[in-house]
Amino acid sequence: MSSHGPQALIRAHATYRGEGIPMVLATVIRTRGSTYRKAGARMLMTAEGDATGIVGGGCFDSDLLEQAQAVAREGKPRSLVYDMRSPDEAIWGLGLGCEGEVTLFLQPLSDEGNPLLCLEELMADDRPGRIVTLLESANGSPPGFSWIAGGSSGPVAIDGEETGFRSGTPPVFVDGFRPPPRLLICGAGVDAVPLARQGLQLGWRVTVLDHRPGHVRAERFPDDAEVAHFNGALTPLMARADAAVVMSHNLNADRDYLRALAGTKIGYLGALGPTARRERLLEELADESLPDRLRGPVGLDLGGELPEEIALSITAEIQAFLHAARGRPLTPP
C-alpha cells in the first residue's frame, strides 16, 4: 500500500494519536521552479524521527526531520524555505540540485483545528473539499488552525475556488482535496492480486469483485482492498469507480460484468485478453455504448507476461488516463 497518500497519513495519524505520541505536520504551501512535490504535499513526523508521506524526495528530508523535532519541543509552528536554486546550497551540505524553491509550513498537531482530521472527514464522506490553514493567528485562532471551507465556520472567510497560498490578512493556505481514484477489479484470480497491490501503492481505493464465493476471501488481498461478491447486478459501489478492469478469465462471467458496467459513466473500462476476445464480447453484448469505450487488450505495451508485469502494464495505462497523459517516454526520440 502507499505510504505517501492521504490514506497512509490518516492511518499513521490515528495510530500516533491513539498512543499519545506528539506529531508535527509539514505541508508544502508554495513552490517555484522545478521541485519534487507541489503545493499540498504533506509529511507527518514524530519527535522520535518516524515519518509518513514525502515532500522533498530526499532532497531536504533529513534537515526537515530536525526542524520538526524543534517544532515538537517548542510547540509552535514555523515556516521554512528551501531554495535549491542558490549556489550557496553546497554550504548546507545537502547537494540538492533540484533548481527550485519550496516553502513549507510545520505545525504541531492537536485535536482542535487539525488538518488531518479535516482530511479524514472528507475521505470518510468521499467528497471533494477545501482545507484552509491559518499561517498566522486570526480572531482568536492560532497559526496552524485548519477547517473545511463551506463545511464548518472558520476564523476567516474564504472566497473563490482557487487553491494554494494566499497572502491576505491573515495569510492562509487553501488545499483543494479530491478523493483518490477508485479502481474496480472484476475477477479475483491470481493476477488480480498484484493489480490490487499496485493500485493501493499508488494511493487508489481498490475494490475486487468475483462471482465465485471461494475467490472473494479478504485474506488473499492486501488489507486495504475491499473484496466483495458479484451477484450479477450493478451496485452503487461499482458505479462510483473511476476505472474498471474485467479479468475473470471466464467469457460468460466477463460478459456479465460488462453488461452491468455498460450503463455506467466509468471513464476507463478495460478487458483482459486479446483483440479477438474483446470483439466476441462486444458482439455478444450488442451494446452500442461499449465499442468506443472498451479497451482490449488492456494496458500499455511494456513487454512481459508474468502477473506482476501485466499488472504494471494496466496500472501504467490507468495512471496515464487519470492524468490525461500520453504514456510515452519523457526523453525525446
Side-chain angles (χ1 to χ4, degrees):
M1 70 191 71
S2 171
S3 61
H4 309 308
Q7 299 100 314
L9 287 172
I10 291 171
R11 185 166 50 247
H13 175 259
T15 299
Y16 295 139
R17 186 178 176 217
E19 296 174 359
I21 298 175
M23 293 170 280
V24 173
L25 180 68
T27 303
V28 177
I29 60 173
R30 184 164 52 185
T31 65
R32 293 187 177 96
S34 176
T35 60
Y36 187 79
R37 298 294 305 275
K38 300 301 181 183
R42 293 186 174 97
M43 186 174 180
L44 180 66
M45 296 163 284
T46 69
E48 288 76 21
D50 295 320
T52 302
I54 188 168
V55 293
C59 288
F60 48 76
D61 289 357
S62 59
D63 182 75
L64 183 60
L65 284 171
E66 294 183 11
Q67 298 285 346
Q69 290 172 338
V71 169
R73 289 193 302 269
E74 298 169 4
K76 296 179 180 180
R78 66 173 63 173
S79 294
L80 296 174
V81 178
Y82 291 99
D83 189 351
M84 297 162 284
R85 303 167 300 176
S86 170
D88 296 333
E89 66 169 340
I91 298 176
W92 306 350
L94 299 178
L96 305 178
C98 293
E99 300 184 356
E101 180 185 284
V102 179
T103 302
L104 299 109
F105 184 71
L106 274 66
Q107 61 184 113
L109 295 181
S110 64
D111 286 348
E112 185 178 3
N114 186 325
L116 292 186
L117 292 179
C118 296
L119 181 65
E120 183 176 6
E121 179 180 337
L122 292 174
M123 282 286 292
D125 293 343
D126 194 24
R127 63 184 173 93
R130 293 177 299 152
I131 301 173
V132 185
T133 301
L134 285 174
L135 303 180
E136 295 180 4
S137 59
N139 298 325
S141 296
F145 185 91
S146 300
W147 71 98
I148 299 172
S152 58
S153 58
V156 297
I158 298 296
D159 298 323
E161 295 297 324
E162 69 273 15
T163 63
F165 174 80
R166 297 193 189 181
S167 57
T169 305
V172 298
F173 177 69
V174 182
D175 183 16
F177 168 80
R178 296 191 65 82
R182 289 185 177 273
L183 170 62
L184 176 68
I185 303 173
C186 300
V190 293
D191 49 358
V193 177
L195 180 57
R197 183 180 300 113
Q198 291 180 21
L200 291 169
Q201 288 172 339
L202 289 170
W204 303 343
R205 291 166 297 178
V206 175
T207 300
V208 183
L209 297 180
D210 202 286
H211 57 289
R212 298 159 292 192
H215 281 61
V216 287
R217 302 196 314 273
E219 63 269 18
R220 296 182 58 235
F221 292 89
D223 290 342
D224 285 357
E226 182 174 0
V227 183
H229 180 254
F230 175 68
N231 62 5
L234 178 70
T235 66
L237 179 63
M238 295 172 65
R240 289 201 303 269
D242 299 285
V245 180
V246 176
M247 50 187 302
S248 75
H249 298 278
N250 180 287
L251 194 67
N252 292 332
D254 281 0
R255 186 177 59 242
D256 291 340
Y257 289 120
L258 287 172
R259 182 179 291 112
L261 294 170
T264 69
K265 296 181 179 180
I266 297 174
Y268 180 99
L269 184 58
L272 192 68
T275 302
R277 194 174 192 277
R278 171 185 178 274
E279 296 304 316
R280 180 174 174 181
L281 284 167
L282 290 173
E283 180 180 353
E284 293 178 357
L285 287 164
D287 189 305
E288 295 181 356
S289 70
L290 283 176
D292 293 335
R293 298 177 56 204
L294 184 62
R295 299 164 185 253
V298 68
L300 299 180
D301 184 7
L302 303 180
E305 59 183 18
L306 297 176
E308 290 79 9
E309 296 169 328
I310 294 170
L312 178 61
S313 162
I314 296 172
T315 53
E317 186 178 43
I318 296 174
Q319 174 76 0
F321 170 82
L322 292 173
H323 293 270
R326 295 177 296 176
R328 297 178 182 176
L330 293 174
T331 303

